Amino acid sequence: MSKNQRSERLGTEKISTLLYQLSLPSTFAMLVNALYNIIDTIFVGFIGEKAIAALSIVFPIQNILAAVAVGTGVGASSYISRSLGANNKEEANRTISQSLTLFILLSMIMIPLILLYLDPILTIFGASPAILSLAKEYAGIIIFGSFTTFFNMIFNNIIRGEGNAKVPMNSMLIGAIGNIILDPIFIFGLDMGVKGAALATILANGISNIYLIVFLASDRIELKIKKDYLRPNFKIIKEIYSVGSTNILMNSANSIVIGFINNQLTPFGDKAIAALGIMLKINTLVFMPCFGLNQGLLPIIGYNYGARKKVRVSEAIWTGIKYSTVFMILGWILFTFFPEPLSYIFTRDSELIDLTVDAFRYNAIAFPLIGSQIILSGFFQGVGKALPALLSSLLRQLGFLIPAAYILPKYFGVIGVWLAYPVSDFLSIFLTYIFAIYVFRVLDIPIYYKKIEKKQNKETKNRES
């Protein structure tokens, strides 16, 4: 298949086939990526629950850095898909070039800034004196090497926007396998503890980036980074962040929430913070198939919306909702009926296991409906309407989850913290559905494509008769 055919098929090939081809590799790679984060925590768990709690404290900071990278990549991917759908390849080339410029600027600004204020940041995110030094050891290395994360996440998303899911999958697999191999070597073999876990992650990302650089420099990609396009182009940067800002703000808000919840859990001890960290790690694993579906859907939606094939946009959304709902029901079953075995993977401490079991069960209450919300948020981004996704997510994180996590523990203790998650989920899901109906109507996209198909088939039969 030629490079042009790879993008053109987004507008012609069967949606379910496209979704399988684009989503399966990214879903598999993201699952492996989540798995190596879990293995990271398992290895650290041998050091003790304070080490797990330290990683839990650093997690929201990592999340903010990743949010900026993913938001930049998703925004660029969306604009590239729409440009290719509108047959404007040169604008797509400008966009990938601007993405390299943004990678350099983000690395130069964010890394020194966070390192400069690391101690107060860790304290704000809930680090107690008992775990501050461990958190600082891990965070210092992770943040210093986060330029590897920036490059990886930005360009994996961009390559998907061209309709190529295999290369991002290989990239993530290389990083995941590298991390799994390096973790025990640095943590135990070299006796580096949490610093070893951080160093293994950075080195694995670096190896993955070498693979991406080789691909970007080859003739196998339709898009090309051009020297003449590297000067900041504020029109394209605006287009990137008009969509990408949604991911950045959503995930940054999530980090703020995690930091707030860490502080809410502080009165219940470091084990409660460790329980939250364990739950969030497995939570990421459960959500990865939906995020993989979303990654596969973004170029399909963006291309077909740019090509004004609105029935295909609707079909893609409903196909994604169907599969994502199945995945999240499986996640609900796992969290509801098997929380003890999940907890036992990370710790043998009975008190920590009890806390983690409750965290799993309460967190999963709204899972069966969350899959559709993820797909609808991807739809908003794919058509360049990021505001609805941003509003529903920010309201969930800041408008619903923080107040719930503040009020409910006063009446239910630590259980109130876990209950805050489903309460905020149900409220934000309801809002997302309202926003989706509005966007469908404003963009004149059929809410349910099967009605259009039936009408078209009926008209075809009438003409033939």
Side-chain angles (χ1 to χ4, degrees), residues 147-378:
F147 65 90
T148 61
T149 304
F150 286 159
F151 190 91
N152 201 283
M153 292 185 171
I154 290 172
F155 286 97
N156 271 333
N157 277 286
I158 287 172
I159 293 166
R160 280 192 203 97
E162 188 205 18
N164 186 333
K166 185 178 179 180
V167 168
M169 179 190 74
N170 291 340
S171 166
M172 295 179 77
L173 281 173
I174 289 168
I177 294 169
N179 198 64
I180 290 169
I181 293 170
L182 293 173
D183 252 345
I185 294 173
F186 285 101
I187 294 173
F188 305 116
L190 299 177
D191 197 26
M192 295 180 67
V194 294
K195 288 191 291 186
L199 188 59
T201 298
I202 296 305
L203 289 176
N205 280 341
I207 296 168
S208 174
N209 287 345
I210 292 170
Y211 170 78
L212 285 177
I213 290 167
V214 171
F215 175 77
L216 290 167
S218 73
D219 293 328
R220 292 183 293 150
I221 183 169
E222 184 176 351
L223 306 173
K224 291 297 176 186
I225 296 173
K226 298 184 178 182
K227 182 175 63 177
D228 294 341
Y229 294 158
L230 290 176
R231 184 186 299 273
N233 182 320
F234 293 105
K235 173 186 172 291
I236 292 177
I237 291 172
K238 181 182 176 182
E239 286 287 346
I240 289 173
Y241 287 114
S242 68
V243 172
S245 59
T246 302
N247 280 78
I248 294 171
L249 291 172
M250 285 191 303
N251 287 296
S252 296
N254 184 49
S255 297
I256 293 169
V257 168
I258 293 171
F260 177 81
I261 291 177
N262 280 337
N263 279 285
Q264 290 297 101
L265 289 170
T266 300
F268 304 105
D270 291 338
K271 289 182 181 180
I273 295 174
L276 176 68
I278 292 171
M279 184 271 286
L280 290 176
K281 293 288 184 181
I282 301 293
N283 203 54
T284 302
L285 183 67
V286 169
F287 274 76
M288 279 302 122
C290 291
F291 292 147
L293 278 172
N294 214 24
Q295 294 290 348
L297 278 171
L298 274 171
I300 299 172
I301 291 172
Y303 186 97
N304 284 286
Y305 180 71
R308 300 187 182 280
K309 297 182 178 182
K310 296 181 178 180
V311 174
R312 280 179 64 82
V313 173
S314 178
E315 183 181 357
I317 293 163
W318 281 104
T319 304
I321 287 174
K322 177 175 68 177
Y323 291 123
S324 65
T325 300
V326 171
F327 285 131
M328 291 311 298
I329 289 173
L330 292 174
W332 174 80
I333 292 171
L334 182 68
F335 274 32
T336 303
F337 297 103
F338 305 100
E340 291 90 352
L342 289 175
S343 305
Y344 199 72
I345 293 171
F346 298 91
T347 181
R348 301 296 185 270
D349 185 289
S350 59
E351 184 182 352
L352 180 53
I353 288 174
D354 289 341
L355 286 164
T356 309
V357 164
D358 286 338
F360 279 132
R361 283 184 172 146
Y362 286 107
N363 180 57
I365 291 173
F367 273 15
L369 295 175
I370 289 177
S372 58
Q373 183 188 29
I374 293 170
I375 299 302
L376 290 172
S377 293

